[in-house]
Amino acid sequence: MLVLGLETSCDETGVALYDSERGLLADALFSQIDLHRVYGGVVPELASRDHIKRMLPLIEQVLADAQCSAKDIQGIAYTAGPGLVGALLVGAACAQALAFAWEIPAIGVHHMEGHLLAPMLEETPPQFPFVALLVSGGHTQLVRVDAIGQYRLLGESIDDAAGEAFDKTAKLMGLKYPGGPEIARVAEQGVPGRFKLPRPMTDRPGLQFSFSGLKTATLTAWQKCIAAGDDNEQTRADLAHAFQQAVVATLTIKCQRALEQESLQTLVIAGGVSANQALRRSLEAMLSKRQGQVFYARPEFCTDNGAMIAYAGCQRLMAGQQEGDAIHVRARWPMEELPALL
């Protein structure tokens, strides 16, 4: 089955073609980073308008790259949530209009299910069951995955998501947007051990996360440096290193607990923060000691993209699921509400 995937949940317009037999045929992405950088974060109205501008040219590009035509497409998948409602509506409206015109089924895909299944696009995909760490700007969750659509939430952040904490911390330290990659870049020059920051909620049982306090601790340390006239580039790098290590250590401890709790040896990490190399190294070291395995998508499929939506949509369309012709999007959408594949 050949499926066109459209991703417009936030500030990246993603389009891809996935074939159930041949795999990923083509994908294209336009990032709005430069558009939003001047504001220090995503402006929803600007994001929606830019999706409208980029969507059809990207679809044409993907069809050309895959050497396919509209008549070859057998289904359309689009991100229906969670995300920015205005941005979601652009992708949903485009998908439903094309599905109507081409007389093919359409299906709304859960954005985080797309991220969770992105490693399935790799040459060696993970096998069910496994524990998944979904870690991005809007989500930090641990989920037990027994099959597509069979998800059980084990723990999540009670305040800031890890990616959100990265972005906010970068901003308070004077680093440019987007903050996560900037902190990772600056941290490479940092001296370990100069700053000591907390590992939130690791001294108590459970699988919940909290990064708001860590962000505050980092802000306090930075303000002290400013007051002492010690706010130079090396100090910024040292503090960025300490912050990143605190986040990585916290995520690693919680992942180990989840694997032990569920008696599993396979971990999948997905979402934008899963591209962080320090996190990957830490989780790989932890799984190596347990004789387990960690799986993740290639860097370009860690952030928002159309390929993950095309793949997830293809699995559900082949299982007989599809939408009507109404346009439904959801800003919030618990993944446990998704139906299992029959």
Side-chain angles (χ1 to χ4, degrees):
M1 185 176 196
L2 181 61
V3 176
L4 176 68
L6 309 180
E7 157 60 22
T8 62
S9 65
C10 190
D11 63 338
E12 288 169 316
T13 312
V15 178
L17 272 173
Y18 178 83
D19 186 274
S20 57
E21 295 183 358
R22 294 177 291 168
L24 184 64
L25 302 185
D27 71 283
L29 183 75
F30 184 85
S31 174
Q32 301 175 7
I33 287 176
D34 291 340
L35 175 65
H36 300 287
R37 178 172 284 137
V38 65
Y39 303 100
V42 177
V43 180
E45 178 63 21
L46 295 180
S48 303
R49 290 174 181 269
D50 203 66
H51 286 310
I52 295 171
K53 179 180 178 181
R54 308 293 176 182
M55 181 58 70
L56 292 180
L58 285 176
I59 292 175
E60 293 173 353
Q61 176 185 332
V62 164
L63 286 172
D65 290 345
Q67 298 183 336
C68 294
S69 67
K71 67 176 184 289
D72 298 318
I73 299 174
Q74 298 168 292
I76 298 182
Y78 62 92
T79 305
L84 302 175
V85 169
L88 292 168
L89 284 171
V90 175
C94 182
Q96 289 288 15
L98 292 176
F100 178 80
W102 295 342
E103 298 182 335
I104 57 176
I107 188 164
V109 171
H110 193 290
H111 181 70
M112 295 311 296
E113 180 176 59
H115 275 304
L116 188 154
L117 297 177
M120 298 296 184
L121 293 163
E122 301 304 315
E123 185 175 345
T124 305
Q127 300 297 309
F128 301 110
F130 55 78
V131 169
L133 171 66
L134 303 178
V135 57
S136 65
H139 299 81
T140 300
Q141 298 177 325
L142 281 165
V143 181
R144 180 186 172 109
V145 181
D146 289 296
I148 296 177
Q150 296 182 28
Y151 310 127
R152 178 162 56 87
L153 181 65
L154 303 176
E156 61 184 340
S157 179
I158 62 175
D159 43 53
D160 290 353
E164 182 181 8
F166 264 101
D167 289 341
K168 289 181 177 179
T169 300
K171 189 173 183 178
L172 67 87
M173 291 175 61
L175 297 173
K176 66 181 182 180
Y177 172 86
E182 280 299 296
I183 283 189
R185 180 185 65 81
V186 172
E188 292 179 359
Q189 308 303 319
V191 176
R194 179 178 173 185
F195 294 95
K196 293 185 178 180
L197 297 174
R199 275 58 172 159
M201 298 185 73
T202 58
D203 58 349
R204 66 186 76 176
L207 297 173
Q208 301 295 88
F209 299 93
S210 172
F211 294 103
S212 180
L214 173 60
K215 180 185 63 182
T216 301
T218 307
L219 172 61
T220 300
W222 181 241
Q223 288 175 334
K224 288 180 178 178
C225 292
I226 293 174
D230 188 24
D231 53 336
N232 55 57
E233 290 304 311
Q234 186 58 52
T235 297
R236 183 182 278 107
D238 295 345
L239 187 55
H241 184 279
F243 172 81
Q244 178 174 258
Q245 286 306 110
V247 174
V248 167
T250 300
L251 293 173
T252 302
I253 290 168
K254 297 287 187 173
C255 285
Q256 181 171 348
R257 285 184 188 175
L259 290 166
E260 292 172 351
Q261 174 183 300
E262 300 301 312
S263 300
L264 294 174
Q265 293 289 86
T266 303
L267 176 70
V268 167
I269 56 171
V273 182
S274 69
N276 184 283
Q277 294 301 307
L279 176 60
R280 290 189 178 193
R281 290 192 296 269
S282 178
L283 291 174
E284 287 170 352
M286 182 267 289
L287 266 297
S288 178
K289 293 178 181 178
R290 293 175 52 85
Q291 297 185 324
Q293 286 183 287
V294 58
F295 294 84
Y296 39 76
R298 68 197 78 167
E300 61 265 34
F301 291 161
C302 291
T303 54
D304 296 349
N305 63 88
M308 67 183 192
I309 301 303
Y311 176 84
C314 183
Q315 307 312 306
R316 291 192 172 275
L317 285 168
M318 288 195 301
Q321 298 178 16
Q322 64 182 71
E323 304 287 349
D325 56 6
I327 296 174
H328 296 292
V329 298
R330 298 176 61 175
R332 298 182 181 277
W333 188 3
M335 203 163 64
E336 309 92 274
E337 294 181 5
L338 293 174
L341 296 190
L342 300 178

